[in-house]
Amino acid sequence: MKPFTYVKPPDFESAIPAGAAPRTKYLGGGTNLVDLMREGIELPDHVVDITGLPLDAIEELPNGGLRIGALVRNSTLAADPRIRSRYRVLSEAMLSGASGQLRNMATVGGNLLQRTRCPYFYDTTAACNKRRPGSGCDALEGYNRNCAVLGVSDSCIAAHPSDMCVALAALEAVIHVNGPAGVRRIEIADLHLLPGDTPDLENSLVPGDLITAVELPPPLGARSTYRKVRDRSSYAFALVSVAAALQVEDHKVTEVRLGLGGVGAKPWRAREAERLLLGGPADESAYRRAAEAELAPARVHADNAFKVRLAEATIVAVLRELSLAGVNR
Amino acid sequence: MTLDDTVHTAEATGGKYVGRSIPRVDGPGKTTGQARFAAEHSYPDLAYAALVYATIARGRILAIETSEAQAVDGVVAVLTHKNAPRMKPAGNLSPFDISSIAISTSVNYLATDEVHWNGQPIAVVVAETPEVANYAASLVTTSYEQWGAKVDFASEVPNAVPDKGIPFMTGKADKGNALGALATAPFTVDLEFSTPQYNHNALEPHATTAVWNGDKLTVHEGTQSLTGVQGQLAKRFGVPKDNVRVLSPFVGGGFGGKARPWAGTLLAVLAARATGRPIRLALTREGVYHTVGGRTASIQRVALGAGTDGRLASIVHTSVSRTGRVGGMPERITEVSHEMYAAPNIHLQQSSVKLDLVSNTFMRAPGEAIGSFGLESAIDELAWEIGMDPIELRMINEPDRGPVSGKVFTHRKLRDAYALGAERFGWKEREPRAGAMRDGRWLVGMGVATAHHTAMQLTASVAIRLNADGTVVVRCAMQEMGMGAPTVQTQVTADELGVPLESVRVEYGDTDLPWGSPAFGSVQTASVTSAVLAACTKLKQAVLILAQRQADSRLKGRKLAELKAHDGGLYSGAKGHKYTDILAAAGREHVDVAYKPNIPAFLARTVRDVGWRPKAATGAQFCEVRVDADTGEVRISRWMGVFDVGTVLNARTAESQLRGGIIMGIGMALSEHTIIDHRTGRIVNPNLSEYHVPVHADVPHIDVHFLNEPEPHSPLGLLGLGEIGVTGVPAAIANAIRHATGKRVVDLPITLDKVL
Ligand SMILES: Cc1cc2nc3c(=O)[nH]c(=O)nc-3n(C[C@H](O)[C@H](O)[C@H](O)COP(=O)(O)OP(=O)(O)OC[C@H]3O[C@@H](n4cnc5c(N)ncnc54)[C@H](O)[C@@H]3O)c2cc1C
């Protein structure tokens, strides 16, 4: 690992200027950053450990929502009774990610900014525009089974790996940031950037920006769930995942949210599918049509064409399950 | 921990301990951290090494820039082909030179500027800490002249060349006219199967601690073959074998990946020689993928022809495997078809290609793990074709004699295994139609396949000491990688000598001990047990002679064969002496015996046996799978394996071996896959994050049953069981998926996109 300096500031006043210095990284749980430093992919000169900051509370908001501190551990968030009862999709998404040990370390802020698992990003001998801008993309003609099919570009087809972010996209979470320019709020949809010609630019933060919290709007009326499809039962990133909320009244869809994981270059909000579903019939063929419409713009490569069919099938299965569960209740 | 007191083989051995579920003697040491593995030995002045790997598949190093690495604080040396001392050449793997089996590749690391695979070590960095060594290694830069390389197995398959095979183990067979019979058979299946490369992924990545003292070398190494490592190191570093001591009391899993010394071992020793410092080289997981060969990728064709009664008329089984251009052996994939089903016409042929990849190597049940996938899937498909129960079809074709050799089996209990398994697993609950069993969103399927592993035995030497206090020390340079080797030899010795288990201590894992058998090919337990039995007999004979020298001996005139060893002594009925009394009366501190096998006689017997009695462990694998109707996700819900492995010495450790094999088979079947970039030959997923071994949630409860009938020609009636567990597993799963969904998947791993 390349040598670096390490500080653990006690307050924002010292943390943010330290974080704004060139070639500096904030350190949360370290489950992603430290791995990447070991592999020679992240090469910061300075590491600012933020775990001494008071950002580990989950607070009720007057509007009925919740504010989750950026240092809340993934396991704490998943187990919180308020999350489990009011935002089931988020609790399930958290529990489907990584392993128990990793979730105990990983923070909400770090989860938001975790980097792709594209194998060519991880291999410093490979061409990767995200890691080394302008070097090319070995995934295009190489092994791309895990890569994205939505929002991809000619310079990058890496998938966003987070489960949590998919649930947050469906819930329309808001990210609180404190940075050199003061505090601001970013809609989750605007946090992550599509690769375009600059896959190295992954989010709308600027140097020194510190994520302080994730705000959840008041709970939806709809039932929600998270379904993750992968090659083994646990401890694997999603091939496809679906975060969904669905409310059905009189056989009509009255509220729906859909987020997709594993298929998007960023956590994917399936707005087209939602648009088609809302107000329409709550039946299998409507689900299928909506799913197909969402996936219509997909751009597939040699190994990941199956993701289109898999995503469609999973969307349909999840909506079916939610509508049946609603009827039974 | 409870002691399961079920006596499995009282009849077979008359023993008190053999056959019981005895906890591992090394268990407390391992669970309390007392057991020290190869990378846990400290020496004053110890330095740490890290490897630099080539990033092209084939070519020549034009320049290697080490000054930046050299400049890092704490770097001791950067060794490359420019400055490293030369090792002697490796030579080539040869079927005619048994000691050559320890050659992992022919590449002479750091003595050449040539690159033979993407990931070949091209430099070693030695530093004061492992962190500095790893960091400095990342600063070495290299430029290459690239040569054309063949790295993609699938595209080389058309160029495969038939294998010659090795003595006693030819994959080839021709009996009757198999292709002709296939053409006229009323029922046929003709399928092509593929399996990917797999890697071993032992819990303990390969590690070596090497110390030179003059021209004497001590190496701490996790190995499956102490003598293999010792011999290779002596040869490569030009010192007598006796100057090399290899210590390997604990091995954190091997699975074949530690059967030979690979680059890490050689380069740790080289770095120690070059720097004059003790060196520890612990490979990263990625380093293991780059430098230790895995299981070959393969293609198989299995074509079966059968009559309307289900009797096979023809078996065609051909295969292609791959070696490295710089080493490895073609895999004996079709061997399983030599032994499995009776048929008048059989054609078996193996071919292989040479690729510019790290040499392939042994991985649990080489040949049979892959071959049984093809054959046992095809037989299942034939059952669908005919409309017959797949167990019934197997029983109809169960041979009386070796189908190719015509020789009598020493022992073949597959009918019993299937009968017991079918009953216990509830096979009759299986709805014969495909896709007819359902549980909510899951399609449910049941499948079976036969497990088979040819049994072999090598030789070992053993020394035993009986002390005046009645304790016993058994000494043998065998290996323990978690199978329970010292535990079962403790049991065998205690029974043979009639002493309590606690009185016996087994010393192992050290080349200073009498040489043992390697721990591969499922040979170790049979080989060492045979030697321990012989040594115990020698010891009792020696003690009897001591006893008979006493004027008042109650054993006067008795022959050893008339006596029984029990209660810590030798007795004829109630008359006899305790060992402690015999040694006290004789004024002896201890009695020592050494058993050394007569190798020419052993070889002669082996040749004869291989010729006239095929000996194998067999079993029936039963599984139930659930397939998600929407997504194609496959999950295993139940498993049962019924095995005929002869006498079971220790049910606890035996079950654990078989269960581990089954889990490895589940990985082979569903998720494991070493992905090799078809352009660069670089391994794309050299880590446990993306190489998906089964996790706990993938593994159902696994029931293991033994028939537990002694094999008539083996020591104590035992058959090696380290490898059989994995055989048949991928086929049983594929067959269950076929039942659940109607789909025959012929390409491993069966990921959901192939089922969707
Ligand atoms: C083997 C393995 C399997 C995994 N499987 C999954 C999975 O299935 N699903 C899944 O979703 N994830 C998975 N993960 C990823 C895991 O969720 C992330 O590693 C984790 O959430 C990152 O959180 P952290 O606190 O450890 O982040 P860190 O590693 O500390 O940081 C990650 C990044 O975020 C930045 N950062 C951290 N906190 C802040 C902040 N407050 N403000 C600004 N920047 C910040 C850091 O600078 C760094 O760039 C897996 C990880 C591993 C190692």
Side-chain angles (χ1 to χ4, degrees):
Chain A
M1 202 187 282
K2 182 176 150 262
F4 56 91
T5 69
Y6 170 90
V7 290
K8 187 173 177 182
D11 50 36
F12 296 107
E13 291 67 37
S14 43
I16 292 169
R23 300 174 68 88
T24 300
K25 280 279 169 186
Y26 288 127
L27 177 72
T31 60
N32 190 219
L33 180 63
V34 175
D35 262 10
L36 293 169
M37 288 168 68
R38 282 209 191 100
E39 301 286 334
I41 296 154
E42 297 267 23
L43 299 163
D45 290 334
H46 311 287
V47 169
V48 178
D49 184 344
I50 57 171
T51 57
L53 301 177
L55 295 174
D56 58 359
I58 303 177
E59 294 157 291
E60 302 266 0
L61 295 173
N63 68 358
L66 288 176
R67 183 168 59 215
I68 304 159
L71 288 173
V72 170
R73 305 287 170 170
N74 286 189
S75 47
T76 310
L77 184 62
D80 188 277
R82 292 162 294 183
I83 301 290
R84 291 180 46 165
S85 60
R86 299 179 214 163
Y87 304 95
R88 185 174 134 187
V89 62
L90 179 57
S91 176
E92 289 180 357
M94 304 301 313
L95 288 176
S96 75
S99 66
Q101 296 90 329
L102 284 158
R103 294 195 296 268
N104 285 340
M105 290 297 291
T107 64
V108 166
N111 196 321
L112 282 166
L113 297 190
Q114 64 171 298
R115 306 197 67 189
T116 185
R117 295 284 160 165
C118 176
Y120 298 100
F121 175 73
Y122 259 84
D123 182 353
T124 50
T125 72
C128 173
N129 288 321
K130 200 183 254 311
R131 181 167 35 73
R132 208 164 357 111
S135 62
C137 171
D138 270 348
L140 292 172
E141 306 286 320
Y143 179 76
N144 47 41
R145 182 166 184 268
N146 300 341
C147 290
V149 295
L150 293 171
V152 296
S153 72
D154 289 338
S155 47
C156 183
I157 58 172
H160 195 277
S162 171
D163 291 299
M164 181 188 81
C165 291
V166 178
L168 293 183
L171 292 171
E172 295 187 343
V174 178
I175 313 305
H176 294 204
V177 175
N178 190 349
V183 298
R184 65 186 200 285
R185 298 158 56 90
I186 305 174
E187 304 279 324
I188 179 88
D190 300 327
L191 178 69
H192 301 100
L193 305 179
L194 288 178
D197 296 335
T198 53
D200 53 312
L201 303 180
E202 295 180 344
N203 57 60
S204 52
L205 302 182
V206 299
D209 271 352
L210 178 75
I211 295 172
T212 54
V214 171
E215 180 182 324
L216 299 181
L220 301 169
R223 294 175 56 88
S224 69
T225 192
Y226 189 76
R227 174 88 175 269
K228 181 172 177 180
V229 181
R230 45 186 157 175
D231 285 329
R232 60 181 173 190
S233 310
S234 173
Y235 201 45
F237 288 90
L239 291 168
V240 163
S241 69
V242 175
L246 182 74
Q247 184 157 294
V248 177
E249 278 163 32
D250 288 338
H251 307 288
K252 291 248 174 309
V253 174
T254 55
E255 185 173 35
V256 62
R257 296 284 179 83
L258 273 178
L260 303 180
V263 289
K266 61 183 257 184
W268 200 259
R269 176 79 181 275
R271 290 193 188 272
E272 177 63 8
E274 288 179 13
R275 192 183 65 77
L276 289 170
L277 286 165
L278 194 63
D283 62 34
E284 187 105 2
S285 61
Y287 301 156
R288 185 156 294 286
R289 271 198 308 279
E292 286 172 1
E294 187 65 41
L295 272 299
R299 271 178 63 192
V300 302
H301 289 80
D303 304 322
N304 69 358
F306 76 95
K307 281 193 173 182
V308 172
R309 217 147 48 94
L310 181 63
E312 292 167 358
T314 311
I315 293 171
V316 172
V318 167
L319 292 174
R320 183 200 306 133
E321 178 199 320
L322 282 173
S323 60
L324 289 179
V327 171
N328 291 344
R329 210 164 51 150
Chain B
M1 250 183 259
T2 59
L3 206 68
D4 171 3
D5 268 337
T6 334
V7 175
H8 288 266
T9 53
E11 214 183 9
T13 65
K16 207 167 146 189
Y17 300 112
V18 167
R20 291 221 342 238
S21 282
I22 306 287
R24 287 179 171 73
V25 293
D26 52 340
K30 281 178 175 164
T31 48
T32 57
Q34 302 299 303
R36 282 200 290 157
F37 290 78
E40 299 178 315
H41 293 271
S42 224
Y43 283 87
D45 215 25
L46 183 69
Y48 300 82
L51 302 182
V52 178
Y53 306 100
T55 59
I56 62 161
R58 190 153 172 261
R60 213 166 61 79
I61 298 170
L62 294 177
I64 184 158
E65 184 51 61
T66 61
S67 52
E68 212 185 322
Q70 195 79 60
V72 176
D73 208 22
V75 168
V76 174
V78 182
L79 304 170
T80 69
H81 66 282
K82 303 257 188 210
N83 63 352
R86 298 277 189 268
M87 285 184 279
K88 301 233 176 329
N92 284 310
L93 201 56
S94 156
F96 305 104
D97 172 9
I98 192 82
S99 77
S100 78
I101 204 161
I103 298 170
S104 53
T105 84
S106 59
V107 174
N108 200 0
Y109 304 103
L110 305 198
T112 168
D113 60 357
E114 279 187 36
V115 172
H116 302 274
W117 75 87
N118 198 327
Q120 175 189 320
I122 51 169
V124 182
V125 178
V126 179
E128 300 295 346
T129 69
E131 290 79 10
V132 169
N134 281 318
Y135 170 55
S138 75
L139 300 176
V140 175
T141 54
T142 314
S143 60
Y144 302 95
E145 173 184 301
Q146 293 207 41
W147 301 341
K150 294 179 174 168
V151 296
D152 187 37
F153 177 69
S155 49
E156 284 307 311
V157 163
N159 306 327
V161 177
D163 295 332
K164 292 200 190 64
I166 56 175
F168 312 123
M169 288 179 179
T170 87
K172 199 174 155 45
D174 264 306
K175 173 176 154 189
N177 175 2
L179 290 170
L182 192 63
T184 56
F187 291 103
T188 55
V189 296
D190 194 341
L191 295 169
E192 184 168 302
F193 299 90
S194 76
T195 64
Q197 176 168 322
Y198 296 103
N199 278 71
H200 306 81
N201 289 304
L203 192 55
E204 174 201 32
H206 294 55
T208 306
T209 306
V211 191
W212 284 99
N213 194 341
D215 65 351
K216 288 205 152 57
L217 172 66
T218 303
V219 171
H220 300 271
E221 165 92 354
T223 179
Q224 297 174 240
S225 175
L226 287 156
T227 47
V229 173
Q230 181 190 38
Q232 258 300 290
L233 291 177
K235 185 169 159 203
R236 304 300 294 278
F237 290 91
V239 295
K241 221 160 92 172
D242 289 344
N243 284 17
V244 180
R245 182 174 183 197
V246 183
L247 291 144
S248 188
F250 303 106
V251 186
F255 313 115
K258 292 174 184 162
R260 299 170 161 142
W262 293 85
T265 312
L266 297 166
L267 290 172
V269 175
L270 185 74
R273 173 149 266 191
T275 59
R277 306 254 313 247
I279 295 286
R280 179 185 300 166
L281 201 173
L283 291 182
T284 58
R285 183 67 61 185
E286 182 179 352
V288 178
Y289 276 82
H290 285 327
T291 62
V292 178
R295 194 196 290 280
T296 173
S298 79
I299 298 282
Q300 303 175 62
R301 176 191 178 201
V302 184
L304 303 173
T308 47
D309 57 356
R311 276 182 200 285
L312 286 172
S314 175
I315 300 175
V316 174
H317 192 173
T318 62
S319 68
V320 182
S321 65
R322 73 96 178 160
T323 61
R325 209 195 288 267
V326 289
M329 294 200 294
E331 187 121 339
R332 297 178 283 106
I333 294 171
T334 65
E335 190 169 86
V336 64
S337 293
H338 278 254
E339 309 294 348
M340 204 66 94
Y341 297 110
N345 303 289
I346 299 179
H347 170 67
L348 311 177
Q349 173 68 58
Q350 297 172 166
S351 307
S352 60
V353 297
K354 284 186 164 55
L355 298 181
D356 297 299
L357 300 174
V358 62
S359 337
N360 69 317
T361 193
F362 316 116
M363 184 166 172
R364 208 174 203 162
E368 288 167 304
I370 303 178
S372 65
F373 169 60
L375 181 63
E376 289 298 293
S377 294
I379 199 88
D380 190 77
E381 195 53 35
L382 182 65
W384 286 102
E385 207 53 44
I386 302 175
M388 188 180 267
D389 179 273
I391 298 181
E392 191 188 341
L393 179 63
R394 284 177 172 83
M395 294 306 100
I396 286 175
N397 290 291
E398 177 64 9
D400 300 330
R401 291 163 169 264
V404 173
S405 65
K407 311 291 186 196
V408 184
F409 296 116
T410 58
H411 186 76
R412 177 106 168 180
K413 303 262 172 252
L414 265 173
R415 286 182 195 282
D416 301 349
Y418 270 108
L420 183 65
E423 194 201 309
R424 298 226 175 162
F425 195 69
W427 184 253
K428 64 175 190 300
E429 316 291 315
R430 177 182 183 265
E431 162 67 49
R433 284 172 307 132
M437 292 168 71
R438 188 140 185 167
D439 175 13
R441 67 184 235 224
W442 301 100
L443 301 166
V444 180
M446 291 161 83
V448 293
T450 300
H452 183 277
H453 191 263
T454 298
M456 291 182 296
Q457 190 180 324
L458 300 174
T459 56
S461 50
V462 166
I464 304 193
R465 166 172 289 188
L466 172 64
N467 288 311
D469 63 1
T471 58
V472 177
V473 181
V474 179
R475 309 176 81 229
C476 175
M478 61 178 181
Q479 294 79 191
E480 165 63 331
M481 355 176 228
M483 319 83 83
T487 308
V488 297
Q489 297 311 335
T490 303
Q491 294 170 257
V492 170
T493 307
D495 274 356
E496 280 301 301
L497 298 181
V499 299
L501 202 64
E502 302 71 41
S503 299
V504 180
R505 194 178 83 239
V506 178
E507 293 180 355
Y508 59 96
D510 179 350
T511 49
D512 274 3
L513 298 170
W515 55 267
S517 137
F520 51 67
S522 297
V523 301
Q524 179 170 268
T525 301
S527 312
V528 174
T529 298
S530 159
V532 166
L533 293 175
C536 286
T537 302
K538 266 183 110 167
L539 180 71
K540 287 185 284 190
Q541 187 65 53
V543 173
L544 178 60
I545 290 167
L546 274 190
Q548 286 170 341
R549 282 195 200 138
Q550 299 300 317
D552 58 349
S553 174
R554 280 171 251 158
L555 295 174
K556 276 256 159 23
R558 295 285 177 191
K559 293 216 161 44
L560 185 58
E562 303 161 13
L563 305 182
K564 284 219 164 85
H566 57 81
D567 296 302
L570 290 175
Y571 297 91
S572 161
K575 278 170 55 180
H577 303 282
K578 283 198 175 304
Y579 297 131
T580 46
D581 294 338
I582 299 171
L583 267 67
R588 295 283 290 267
E589 295 274 291
H590 44 75
V591 177
D592 286 298
V593 296
Y595 165 79
K596 283 207 180 64
N598 175 340
I599 294 188
F602 171 80
L603 285 179
R605 202 167 59 240
T606 304
V607 170
R608 186 196 65 192
D609 286 4
V610 169
W612 64 264
R613 31 182 208 219
K615 194 155 97 175
T618 55
Q621 308 270 21
F622 287 76
C623 78
E624 182 187 87
V625 303
R626 266 139 222 263
V627 182
D628 187 292
D630 293 303
T631 63
E633 288 161 285
V634 177
R635 302 291 181 252
I636 316 266
S637 43
R638 283 200 296 143
W639 201 281
M640 173 176 292
V642 180
F643 296 96
D644 169 26
V645 288
T647 306
V648 175
L649 300 191
N650 182 333
R652 176 189 296 243
T653 52
E655 276 174 25
S656 162
Q657 280 297 294
L658 293 162
R659 214 172 264 136
I662 290 166
I663 294 169
M664 197 175 236
I666 292 174
M668 267 184 89
L670 296 181
S671 56
E672 294 185 39
H673 180 184
T674 305
I675 300 150
I676 296 171
D677 191 293
H678 61 92
R679 301 160 297 181
T680 59
R682 194 155 178 93
I683 296 176
V684 174
N685 60 340
N687 54 65
L688 290 176
S689 171
E690 299 303 326
Y691 182 100
H692 286 167
V693 300
V695 295
H696 279 100
D698 294 314
V699 180
H701 176 75
I702 296 175
D703 262 327
V704 170
H705 293 283
F706 303 113
L707 297 182
N708 208 12
E709 288 182 34
E711 199 280 342
H713 305 282
S714 304
L716 296 183
L718 75 92
L719 292 166
L721 52 71
E723 295 172 279
I724 184 176
V726 71
T727 67
V729 171
I733 293 170
N735 297 344
I737 292 171
R738 170 71 173 81
H739 179 227
T741 65
K743 260 197 191 155
R744 167 66 55 194
V745 183
V746 291
D747 301 310
L748 297 185
I750 307 176
T751 45
L752 55 84
D753 43 307
K754 296 171 189 162
V755 183
L756 188 63

